Amino acid sequence: LVRLVESGGGSVQAGGSLRLSCVASGYTVSRAWMGCFRQAPGKEREGVAAITSGGTPTYADSVKGRFTISRDGAANTLYLQINSLKPEDTAIYYCAADGGGGDVLRPNEYKYWGQGTQVTVSS
């Protein structure tokens, strides 16, 4: 049974930082194609970052230079460091695993999903 558990969300002021964690069980993070997504109220889920099995990161244009995706094989955990937060970053953030190898920022490419963690940024 694959399980992804996110944590690290919270309420911060604009300009602040958070580090989101996604702990995996039943799945090996270091060998996986994994992604981070977010969904704001009334909007579609969008990809913000992904990392291939070989470790190559990809970022959405809206977060380039502010978000960093990484993973720790020993902890079997995916991380998303988010800096210089803006109010428009407010959303529920999800991690996903087992990407299909196509568009790495497309939600439909992923098989497994976590439950999400809320990030709220105030101005």
Side-chain angles (χ1 to χ4, degrees), residues 14 19 21-22 30 41 45 47 65 67 78 83 100 104 111 119:
R19 188 176 79 156
S21 300
C22 172
S30 61
R45 191 169 297 189
F67 288 21
L78 180 75
N83 298 327
V104 298
K111 185 175 181 180
V119 172

Side-chain angles (χ1 to χ4, degrees), residues 46-121:
E46 64 170 342
V48 296
I51 187 166
T52 67
S53 55
T56 301
T58 299
Y59 299 98
D61 289 343
S62 59
V63 307
K64 279 181 182 176
R66 301 189 298 122
F67 288 21
T68 303
I69 190 170
S70 63
R71 58 191 173 197
D72 182 337
N76 211 34
T77 300
L78 180 75
Y79 298 104
L80 184 68
Q81 178 69 41
I82 46 181
N83 298 327
S84 303
L85 279 159
K86 304 175 181 180
E88 52 263 42
D89 294 320
T90 295
I92 299 174
Y93 283 71
Y94 300 89
C95 66
D98 203 17
D103 182 350
V104 298
L105 297 180
R106 184 169 177 256
N108 287 353
E109 290 287 338
Y110 292 83
K111 185 175 181 180
Y112 304 110
W113 290 84
Q115 85 288 351
T117 186
Q118 176 73 47
V119 172
T120 303
V121 185

Side-chain angles (χ1 to χ4, degrees), residues 29-42:
V29 167
S30 61
R31 301 175 186 173
W33 193 309
M34 301 192 70
C36 295
F37 296 80
R38 67 186 181 187
Q39 189 166 17

